[in-house]
């Protein structure tokens, strides 16, 4: 028999949103890996990021992560993220958020269970911060 939670017990505080500095530190660490360092926004992917703007790109990232990465066992995990075709795809490879194995290895998010809301938001923040830095560098 399951006991009901104690209503007088304090509820855990939600994890604080990552700061730009903490995201930059994580991105700098990931970028030291030779495979990750070769990814940059160019051509059509860069133009898409500039044209659509940060809020639209964030919505696309949220949606793509929800469909391709958030499930406990994503379809074709490890091969579900194309290398080009959308700035979010390029960013996922550059930030090691392309599959559940990379999420576990680089970001400490375990495989085999659905991403929590906080983890989903974190992944989107990492992707969008990388895109933001790429667009700023190109300008």
């Amino acid at each position: 028999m399951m006991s009901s939670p104690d209503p007088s017990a304090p509820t855990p505080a939600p994890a604080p949103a990552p700061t730009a500095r903490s995201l930059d530190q994580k991105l700098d660490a990931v970028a030291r890996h030779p495979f990750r360092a070769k990814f940059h926004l160019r051509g059509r992917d860069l133009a898409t990021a500039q044209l659509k703007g940060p809020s639209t790109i964030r919505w696309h990232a949220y949606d793509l992560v929800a469909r391709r990465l958030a499930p406990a066992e994503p379809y074709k995990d490890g091969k579900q993220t194309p290398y080009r075709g959308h700035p979010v795809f390029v960013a996922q490879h550059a930030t090691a958020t392309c599959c559940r194995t990379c999420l576990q290895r680089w970001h400490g998010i375990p495989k085999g269970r659905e991403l929590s809301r906080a983890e989903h938001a974190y992944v989107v923040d990492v992707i969008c911060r990388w895109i933001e830095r790429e667009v700023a560098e190109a300008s």
Side-chain angles (χ1 to χ4, degrees):
M1 183 171 142
M2 286 181 53
S3 61
S4 59
D6 180 4
S8 64
T11 57
T19 64
R21 182 176 177 183
S22 68
L23 290 174
D24 287 341
Q25 289 171 337
K26 175 58 84 173
L27 292 174
D28 292 343
V30 172
R32 285 193 285 275
H33 188 271
F35 176 73
R36 306 287 168 198
K38 69 182 181 181
F39 290 97
H40 295 284
L41 285 183
R42 295 183 177 97
R44 181 180 281 172
D45 292 330
L46 176 60
T48 298
Q50 291 169 324
L51 191 65
K52 297 291 184 184
S55 60
T56 300
I57 294 296
R58 178 171 289 277
W59 186 87
H60 289 178
Y62 190 87
D63 184 54
L64 289 167
V65 167
R67 289 187 287 127
R68 294 172 174 259
L69 198 63
E73 295 182 22
Y75 176 69
K76 292 173 68 174
D77 191 27
K79 298 177 181 155
Q80 77 268 41
T81 306
Y83 284 93
R84 62 184 171 271
H86 196 287
V88 170
F89 295 149
V90 179
Q92 284 184 274
H93 290 291
T95 62
T97 57
C98 47
C99 66
R100 292 306 294 264
T101 299
C102 291
L103 269 182
Q104 182 169 308
R105 183 179 300 140
W106 289 92
H107 300 277
I109 298 173
K111 296 165 68 168
R113 63 166 176 74
E114 189 172 333
L115 293 182
S116 70
R117 280 181 153 171
E119 290 165 341
H120 190 152
Y122 166 78
V123 171
V124 171
D125 287 342
V126 169
I127 290 167
C128 290
R129 181 66 181 158
W130 184 86
I131 292 171
E132 179 183 309
R133 287 169 39 151
E134 287 288 303
V135 169
E137 192 175 296
S139 298

